[in-house]
Amino acid sequence: MSSTVLLVVLCVVLAVAAAIATLAAWLLTRDHRRLEARAADLAEATERLNDQLFAVTESEERHRSLIEAQGDLIVRRTPDGRITYANRAYATLLGTSPDALIGSTEAPIVQATSLIEMRGDGTRLFDERMADVGGEERWISWAESHVPMPDGPHLTQRVGRDVTSRVASEQQLDEALAHANSANDAKSRFLATVSHEFRTPLNGIIGMADLLSDTRLDAEQTTYVRALRTSGHALLSLIEEILDFAKVEAGRTTLSEEPFDLVALAEGVVELLAPKAHDKGLSLATLADPALPPLLMGDPDRVRQILINLVGNAVKFTETGGVGVRLGWQDGAARVIVEDTGPGIPADRLSAIFDEFEQADETTARTHGGSGLGLAIVKRLLPLMGGEIAVDSQPGKGSRFTVTLTLRVAGAASEAVIPDHRGLSVLLVSHAPFEAAYLAEIAGLTGALIRQTGEPADAQGMLLAHPVDVLMVDLSVGAERARELAILARAAGVGRRIIILSPFERRSFGAPAAAGFDAFLVKPVRGRSLLAQLRDRGQPAGAETTSLAPENAGKLVERPRVLLAEDNEINALLARRTLEKLGADPVWARNGQEAVDLMMAALSGETAPFALGVFDVRMPIMDGLKAARMIRDEEVAMAVMHRLPLIAVTANVSAEDRQAAMAAGFDDCLPKPLVRDQLALWLKLALDPAQASPAAGTPAKEHAA
Ligand code: ADP
């Protein structure tokens, strides 16, 4: 082979080698770039991960510091109680570090637990009392929930807040409240005791003044005695109000539940206050819805007390016009509305007047007196009786108090019987506010045709223009005018004439018949009396009420012996004098034991029999209740024919006192001071036992109705 060939071959080999080398170099460069790019990507990803890791670490730190900073206790446990997480506050409670708690089952010693709430999401809220590591008592309020875990059983998480100081202040508040309540109770007890004690000497003062007023006195002395009695009664009613208020406040008011006639009760209250209203020239009227059941169940004494307060206020504050009492029945509730044409009450005082010692304005309070307790008592009593009161008033025009009382009907419900007077034409001449409208309404219920006017001149015109069957004239139009109307009515052929008059005007008016009238109705007119008058068209009516005057009662009694048990000398003197004035022969026992001894002597025939016993309840040595029980036992043992009528006398006649007296064998329980009329009535019954049958009712009840 020639060297040329060799050279060519060598060149080719070299060229190939160079090409391979170039290719290899190219390939190497390309991979290197790739690797470099990859490395750069990886570096970047690492950096991003580092950033994220940092951010997560920082966020966790932030949350951890947040959890630690807020001071709540946090702990998580596995179902077997092992701690998987505890914050510093929880660890501090156990006196250790969070790390030391991980995996342990350590827990504080709980002294008491109370469940407060179970929420819909399963979270349990409860309080625990426990001792911390220093032995100090702590209250923790926990919220316990379950935290689901992706790779295992649920964890129980508790988040707790230390409420020790809140619980302590709540306990202090409770203690302060209990303290205030007991101080309030003590105040009420004090008031009740003090006012009770005040009554005894006061009864002596009033009673002596009563006795004094029966003796021969000159005009000046009469004025002084009258002032003494008025002041005594004012003080007595004030003391009674304070006593009542104290009782209601102390929650010691017990209510009776007995059948009573609301209409008779309200009419009784109106009659009681009628003289005062009459003195002021006010008309006073009642109107009863015939739908009212005849007997309702409730506490009649409390209902009367409420009505006396409301009607008494209306009469007290009203200077001109009148006062009306409407009784209604709706949906099982009685409604009593007391309305007046008085000064009214400013809107901003309407709720304050029901607070104790509050009066609408001080000037009227000074003029009219009063304690500011009446409405406070009413307001507190009513809810106890299932009732409520509302007031609306227009200053300058009048006020209207509405009492609603939910009361059960006693006995079977009966339909109201309203007489049918269709076709009867009635002319009513009266301008009495409320009364004129009430009378017209009652008469209108019967179907009668009512014409009403306040002007006698108009009445004359009406008498001539229309046929009139019944003429009713209120004497407040003037006696002369009334007579003229009667004469005119007679001339016009009026079938029946009724005159309405007040008991006071009646005296000055003379006999109704002489004035051309044939009947009269005593004001305040009772709805039933009016209906009766319209019904009995043929018969002239007489006075609708008769009362036993004390002076007559004295004549009825032929010196019956009355056993009087009373430890207080003044009260005894008072009762003895009163009994003597009633014609009785009082025999005084200074305590229950003496009374029993005297009674035994009478029962055994050693002394003359007693007609009546009047016993104070509270007496030393032996009280009135025990004495009554002993006397009753002895009467049974001796099989006596007529047991002695026995009356208990007490300063507080509450329902309980009354029940206790009746249970001991008394026939009645009367309040101090003893009212002469009540004693007289009992004397009369004692001497005429036929009247003392249960159907006749006890004098106390008759008196109260
Ligand atoms: P008192 O009558 O002893 O002052 P009450 O508690 O019965 O106390 O009444 C509180 C106040 O409410 C009265 O002082 C009076 O200002 C006002 N008041 C009550 N009833 C009436 C009424 N019918 N008309 C005007 N004011 C009244």
Side-chain angles (χ1 to χ4, degrees), residues 443-465:
L445 287 174
T446 65
L449 174 69
I450 315 293
R451 290 192 185 82
Q452 186 228 323
T453 173
E455 286 301 321
D458 292 349
Q460 287 180 354
M462 288 174 170
L463 267 174
L464 298 174

Side-chain angles (χ1 to χ4, degrees), residues 4 14 16 40-41 57 76 85 109 124 135 175 183 196 231 235 255 349 370 380 388 411 416 513 516 531 573 619:
T4 311
L14 280 174
V16 169
D41 282 353
T57 314
R76 278 183 176 182
Y85 171 80
I109 297 164
R124 210 163 61 100
E175 278 164 23
H196 180 272
S231 310
L235 190 54
L255 299 170
R349 301 292 295 152
R380 281 164 171 73
E388 55 187 40
L531 291 180
L573 175 63
M619 284 183 292

Side-chain angles (χ1 to χ4, degrees), residues 313-314 316-317 340 345 353 358-360 370-372 374-375 399 401:
N313 273 349
K316 181 163 78 171
F317 293 107
D340 65 54
I345 301 153
I353 55 169
E358 283 288 348
Q359 296 179 318
S371 61
L375 290 181
S399 312
F401 288 83

